[in-house]
Structure formats: C-alpha cells, structure tokens
Amino acid sequence: MAFLPVLGKFGRRPLLIASFATATVPLLLLGLLPGLPPVASGLLFAVYAIAIGGPTLLQWIYPNELLPTEIRATAVGVGTGQYLMP
C-alpha cells in the first residue's frame, strides 16, 4: 500500500485539500470549454478521475478519526448518504 506512507507523512486534511484542488481544475476546464477535441476532453477527464480517487478513499478514513465513538456510525452514514440523496 503506497498510499499509507504518503498519508502518514502529509496528513489527511492537506491531502484532501490538494486532491480536491487538483480535481477542480480539469473539471472546471471541461465545463468552461465544451468544444474541446475528444482527446483533450479525455485527458482532462482522466486527470480528474485520478485526482478524485484520493479523496474518495480519505472520505472513509478522516471522518472516522474525527468523530466521537458514540455518534461515529450515524455521522459517517449521514455524510456518505448525501451522495445518494437527490
């Protein structure tokens, strides 16, 4: 697991912020420039998909470490359940 040493060295919050910032740029370009050639669109989407992979993993780690044990399961369930609600 090459992810764990990086996580331990830099910390959860800085990695989340950097990953979301990195994912924002290609997604913003895809939204602002709809007439890009297919190759450029595919490349931007690939960068976005790779950059968003980190926060997806950290979403399960970080809240579990922050919240008290008594409300942890409920709070994490509500936080992740927001993706399923319209």
Side-chain angles (χ1 to χ4, degrees):
M1 294 228 158
F3 185 67
L4 292 178
V6 173
L7 186 64
K9 182 177 181 180
F10 295 107
R12 280 105 171 113
R13 187 168 189 224
L15 281 176
L16 274 173
I17 292 170
S19 296
F20 281 130
T22 303
T24 300
V25 174
L27 195 61
L28 186 65
L29 289 173
L30 283 168
L32 293 176
L33 305 170
L36 286 174
V39 174
S41 294
L43 183 62
L44 285 172
F45 184 74
V47 170
Y48 166 75
I50 291 168
I52 205 68
T56 304
L57 293 172
L58 285 174
Q59 177 186 355
W60 291 96
I61 298 170
Y62 197 42
N64 283 314
E65 294 175 349
L66 291 176
L67 300 167
T69 307
E70 298 82 23
I71 64 164
R72 186 175 296 160
T74 302
V76 171
V78 168
T80 57
Q82 296 299 320
Y83 291 112
L84 303 175
M85 296 180 183

